[in-house]
């Protein structure tokens, strides 16, 4: 059996069909997925009914799993069997809708800012695998911006200006920006900031990319306002419509993206409607299933 990839956009994203993600992949199929990810950076698998165990088992085939922001809420109760599943929903532990002013909703809204998952830590995230369980009637799409195409399209003088520059990323910057200031000193320090070059090479395709996103707080060696303004300019460049694929969810979709190659953001939806997704994420570490080539 081979996977079929049908491109969904001129630059990135493809629908992958011919594979049942609830069963273990053969090594050959796993390599096809990795090769598809290296090329398209976003793969959409439709009609996958995965329970929590199956989603975790699928994700683990691509490397060790990331805990992300759960490190800041260690030991706090959540809805899932696994700490490694992120609850991307507007629903509380008791199954009712979260209050509009809760941290849970701030997190939903912070996810509507362009970001790369866990870019605030080392290792950061490689693959995110988001599975939709309940979707709202309207809105709540997810968008992906192609950072390799964004680098390719940078004017030469800007390429020279940013060569060698590095940005620091912090786990709670996006939450603070959205007005959630209720974090303790200890929580603020739970995930030390991570520094990444603005220009990186994608390990799977050897293409250069522009690594920006909302977790980046400042540029090393620049004043905060100068660095922030440059980061904002670069983010604006990277997220122009021609670089963006917008995903319209159906229940049962599993969308897998490469955090090294794309930024993503959720889109607004009516918070009084339920939107329930679960995400498993691999760490970007050596020894994970590497490029098939
Ligand atoms: C995520 C995320 C956006 C969305 O799951 O990491 O940012 O549309 N999701 O829910
Ligand atoms: Mn995310």
């Amino acid at each position: 059996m081979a996977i079929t990839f049908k491109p969904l956009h001129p630059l990135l994203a493809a629908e992958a069909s011919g594979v049942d993600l609830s069963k273990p992949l053969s090594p050959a199929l796993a390599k096809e997925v990795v090769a598809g990810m290296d090329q398209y950076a976003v793969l959409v698998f439709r009609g996958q009914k995965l329970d929590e165990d199956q989603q975790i088992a699928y994700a683990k085939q691509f490397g060790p799993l990331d805990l992300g922001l759960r490190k800041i809420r260690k030991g706090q109760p959540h809805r899932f069997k696994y700490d490694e599943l992120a609850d991307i929903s507007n629903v509380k532990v008791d199954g009712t809708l979260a209050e509009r002013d809760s941290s849970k909703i701030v997190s939903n809204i912070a996810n509507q800012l362009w970001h790369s998952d866990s870019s605030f830590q080392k290792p950061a995230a490689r693959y995110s695998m988001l599975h939709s369980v309940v979707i709202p009637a309207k809105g709540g799409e997810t968008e992906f911006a192609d950072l390799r195409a964004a680098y390719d399209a940078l004017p030469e003088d800007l390429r020279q200006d940013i060569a060698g520059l590095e940005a620091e990323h912090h786990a709670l910057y996006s939450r603070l920006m959205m007005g959630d200031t209720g974090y303790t000193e200890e929580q603020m320090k739970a995930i030390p900031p991570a520094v990444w070059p603005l220009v990186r090479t994608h390990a799977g395709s050897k293409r250069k990319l522009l690594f920006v996103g909302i977790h980046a707080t400042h540029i090393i060696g620049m004043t905060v306002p100068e660095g922030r303004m440059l980061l904002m300019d670069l983010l604006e460049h990277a997220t122009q419509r021609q670089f963006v694929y917008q995903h319209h969810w159906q229940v049962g979709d599993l969308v897998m993206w490469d955090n090294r190659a794309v930024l993503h953001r959720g889109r607004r939806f009516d918070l009084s409607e339920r939107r329930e997704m679960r995400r498993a994420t691999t760490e970007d570490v050596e020894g994970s299933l590497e490029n098939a080539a």
Side-chain angles (χ1 to χ4, degrees):
M1 193 171 66
I3 306 178
T4 308
F5 297 109
K6 187 181 119 218
L8 295 167
H9 181 282
L11 294 171
L12 75 164
E15 181 170 338
S17 48
V19 59
D20 176 357
L21 305 188
S22 70
K23 307 220 172 70
L25 298 176
S26 65
L29 271 188
K31 280 188 170 181
E32 284 185 39
V33 172
V34 172
M37 289 296 288
D38 284 341
Q39 181 172 353
Y40 298 106
V42 180
L43 293 179
V44 173
F45 300 86
R46 299 274 191 192
Q48 304 285 337
K49 288 271 146 59
L50 300 175
D51 63 22
E52 293 181 32
D53 302 299
Q54 290 163 333
Q55 188 175 354
I56 286 283
Y58 175 69
K60 274 191 172 161
Q61 297 173 102
F62 301 98
L65 300 188
D66 172 39
L67 284 170
L69 281 176
R70 190 149 277 150
K71 293 193 196 106
I72 287 173
R73 302 178 207 284
K74 255 193 208 138
Q76 287 184 17
H78 56 79
R79 297 197 297 151
F80 298 142
K81 207 165 135 184
Y82 299 92
D83 284 343
E84 292 83 359
L85 282 175
D87 186 2
I88 309 295
S89 80
N90 56 346
V91 173
K92 293 188 290 191
V93 178
D94 68 6
T96 61
L97 278 177
E99 284 77 23
R100 291 188 107 90
D101 61 352
S102 62
S103 273
K104 183 91 196 161
I105 294 298
V106 177
S107 269
N108 269 252
I109 295 175
N111 275 343
Q112 296 173 17
L113 298 162
W114 287 109
H115 64 283
S116 171
D117 287 333
S118 293
S119 73
F120 45 72
Q121 62 174 32
K122 290 204 176 183
R126 183 178 299 179
Y127 297 150
S128 288
M129 288 147 274
L130 188 61
H131 184 49
S132 70
V133 182
V134 178
I135 55 174
K138 185 163 101 55
E141 300 88 354
T142 306
E143 293 183 340
F144 300 90
D146 186 332
L147 297 176
R148 295 180 292 191
Y151 181 81
D152 292 344
L154 274 181
E156 185 53 38
D157 59 334
L158 196 47
R159 276 194 203 182
Q160 282 174 16
D161 288 349
I162 67 170
L165 293 182
E166 295 179 315
E168 185 170 299
H169 297 230
H170 194 280
L172 293 175
Y173 185 54
S174 62
R175 272 67 183 162
L176 295 172
M177 192 184 288
M178 288 293 114
D180 193 6
T181 50
Y183 292 96
T184 63
E185 189 102 333
E186 199 185 338
Q187 286 176 318
M188 287 296 294
K189 290 190 182 144
I191 304 179
V195 173
W196 301 106
L198 287 179
V199 180
R200 299 173 71 190
T201 299
H202 181 252
S205 61
K206 308 295 180 238
R207 289 178 61 192
K208 283 192 173 172
L209 63 105
L210 180 61
F211 198 66
V212 285
I214 206 65
H215 299 315
T217 61
H218 64 281
I219 291 183
I220 307 294
M222 267 192 194
T223 63
V224 169
E226 266 190 88
R228 265 185 202 167
M229 207 59 234
L230 178 57
L231 287 166
M232 283 187 214
D233 274 353
L234 294 171
L235 186 59
E236 190 175 326
H237 166 81
T239 56
Q240 295 174 77
R241 287 323 284 179
Q242 69 267 29
F243 304 137
V244 173
Y245 163 69
Q246 184 179 60
H247 184 67
H248 294 260
W249 290 95
Q250 293 170 9
V251 169
D253 287 350
L254 184 296
V255 177
M256 178 167 183
W257 65 88
D258 185 341
N259 288 291
R260 304 168 302 179
V262 291
L263 296 179
H264 62 283
R265 67 171 179 182
R267 298 303 278 153
R268 217 145 46 84
F269 64 100
D270 180 352
L271 292 170
S272 58
E273 275 192 64
R274 300 173 84 90
R275 183 178 188 267
E276 299 185 42
M277 316 251 177
R278 333 176 195 112
R279 171 161 61 80
T281 310
T282 60
E283 293 182 327
D284 185 24
V285 288
E286 294 299 315
S288 301
L289 193 56
E290 292 299 341
N291 180 27

